[in-house]
Amino acid sequence: MNEIQALILGLLQGLTEFLPVSSSGHLEIGHVILGVQSENNLLFDITVHVATVLSTLVVFRKDIVSLFKGLFAFQWNESTIFVSKLLLSAVPVMILGLLFKDQVEKLFTGNLLLVGSMLLVTALLLSFAHFAKKGEKKITFGKSLIIGIAQALAVMPGISRSGATIATGLLLKTKRDEVARFSFLMVLIPILGAAFLDIVGGDFTSGETIGTIPLLVGFLAAFASGLLACAWMIRIIKKGKLIYFAIYCLIIGLIAIFAA
């Protein structure tokens, strides 16, 4: 992998991690177009995912500090309740990752037909959410689990994690700003957990060796684009403009299917 490939893939990861267009699907398409084999770039994938986690921490730094203050009060307060909901939402994807990790990884083989089909599913979800009536309900423990199941289904390349979780939250009549905050914070647990497991069990000596410069370029590109995309997506959700992303996913999905 060279610096240009790292820059493009880093930008793709940062932008599409938060925009409801599927980062996994776009990275698969990017790997095919650029001729980069994803199975040989475990270290790069971990690096750009960590970069997007850091961008989330920056955007939601006030919320995260407030949550930690509430947790260390050692009381059943608003912060501990919210964190408990985040942990509950991570259970479905944790079970899927622990029990079916190998099967999931086999889906990431540059299969454009699969990616395109799942992008159409994302388009459908976003369309439903766009036309759903605006709700004012809060996220309960039950809704946290349902949104967590939506996140688990988004391990499929082409199904947007943020799109699936935000659309599910909106269909459950949750307040727009609350579902946006919950969706972006809930991803921290599975991404950090997956990165840890990959670091512990990953073989970084096999396949193509990635230099320090491409890793740095990919990290900075993912972090900077992630900052912009995260802040932008929050405003988009509040305005209810998800239909534009549904149309985009429909177009890209059809292109991927016909190119397969």
Side-chain angles (χ1 to χ4, degrees), residues 203-223:
D203 180 7
F204 301 115
T205 61
S206 62
E208 179 186 354
T209 300
I210 303 175
T212 303
I213 299 301
L215 280 176
L216 182 60
V217 169
F219 177 88
L220 293 175
F223 177 74

Side-chain angles (χ1 to χ4, degrees), residues 11 21 36 41 65 88-89 104 111 121 127 149 156 163 190 252 256:
L11 288 173
V21 294
V36 177
N41 295 295
V65 170
L88 179 61
S89 73
V104 170
N111 186 340
V121 173
S127 298
I149 293 172
M156 295 288 292
I252 299 299

Side-chain angles (χ1 to χ4, degrees), residues 24 93 96-97 104 107-108 150-161:
S24 60
V93 73
L96 191 64
V104 170
L107 298 173
F108 293 83
Q151 176 171 250
L153 295 176
V155 299
M156 295 288 292
I159 296 183
S160 166
R161 189 211 64 83

Side-chain angles (χ1 to χ4, degrees), residues 2 23 31 38 66 80 83 106 119 129-130 150-152 160 162 184 190 202 205 207 211 241 246-247 257:
N2 58 41
S23 61
H31 285 143
S38 58
S66 177
T80 52
V83 172
K106 290 178 181 178
L119 280 169
H130 175 78
Q151 176 171 250
S160 166
S162 62
F184 291 137
T205 61
K241 302 296 184 181
I247 295 171
I257 289 172

Side-chain angles (χ1 to χ4, degrees), residues 6-24 26-27 44-45 47-53 55-56 59 162 184 217-233:
L7 175 64
I8 294 172
L9 292 175
L11 288 173
L12 273 177
Q13 167 61 29
L15 288 172
T16 58
E17 179 64 45
F18 300 106
L19 299 182
V21 294
S22 177
S23 61
S24 60
H26 278 72
L27 283 177
F44 181 82
D45 290 345
T47 300
V48 295
H49 275 88
V50 169
T52 53
V53 166
S55 64
T56 307
V59 173
S162 62
F184 291 137
V217 169
F219 177 88
L220 293 175
F223 177 74
S225 57
L227 281 177
L228 294 174
C230 187
W232 185 30
M233 190 60 199

Side-chain angles (χ1 to χ4, degrees), residues 21-188:
V21 294
S22 177
S23 61
S24 60
H26 278 72
L27 283 177
E28 283 294 287
I29 294 172
H31 285 143
V32 172
I33 294 175
L34 297 174
V36 177
Q37 296 300 315
S38 58
E39 63 268 20
N40 292 335
N41 295 295
L42 175 61
L43 181 58
F44 181 82
D45 290 345
I46 293 173
T47 300
V48 295
H49 275 88
V50 169
T52 53
V53 166
L54 289 177
S55 64
T56 307
L57 294 177
V58 171
V59 173
F60 289 97
R61 59 191 180 279
K62 293 181 179 178
D63 296 80
I64 293 170
V65 170
S66 177
L67 287 175
F68 272 104
K69 286 182 178 179
L71 283 175
F72 287 111
F74 299 106
Q75 298 174 352
W76 187 246
N77 52 36
E78 186 177 343
S79 294
T80 52
I81 292 172
F82 187 82
V83 172
S84 298
K85 292 174 182 177
L86 290 178
L87 291 172
L88 179 61
S89 73
V91 171
V93 73
M94 180 185 69
I95 293 174
L96 191 64
L98 291 175
L99 298 181
F100 303 101
K101 184 175 185 291
D102 293 337
Q103 290 86 340
V104 170
E105 288 179 347
K106 290 178 181 178
L107 298 173
F108 293 83
T109 56
N111 186 340
L112 290 183
L113 180 60
L114 174 63
V115 173
S117 300
M118 293 302 101
L119 280 169
L120 297 186
V121 173
T122 297
L124 193 62
L125 280 172
L126 294 174
S127 298
F128 285 151
H130 175 78
F131 292 108
K133 292 183 179 180
K134 186 176 180 180
E136 293 295 330
K137 297 180 181 179
K138 291 186 175 294
I139 294 177
T140 62
F141 281 97
K143 290 179 181 179
S144 299
L145 183 58
I146 294 173
I147 295 173
I149 293 172
Q151 176 171 250
L153 295 176
V155 299
M156 295 288 292
I159 296 183
S160 166
R161 189 211 64 83
S162 62
T165 55
I166 290 169
T168 300
L170 293 177
L171 289 171
L172 292 172
K173 307 300 181 185
T174 307
K175 292 175 64 175
R176 291 182 180 275
D177 56 345
E178 185 168 344
V179 76
R181 177 174 176 251
F182 190 82
S183 173
F184 291 137
L185 289 176
M186 70 185 287
V187 74
L188 297 177

Side-chain angles (χ1 to χ4, degrees), residues 191-208:
I191 285 185
L192 289 175
F196 175 76
L197 291 176
D198 285 335
I199 290 171
V200 172
D203 180 7
F204 301 115
T205 61
S206 62
E208 179 186 354

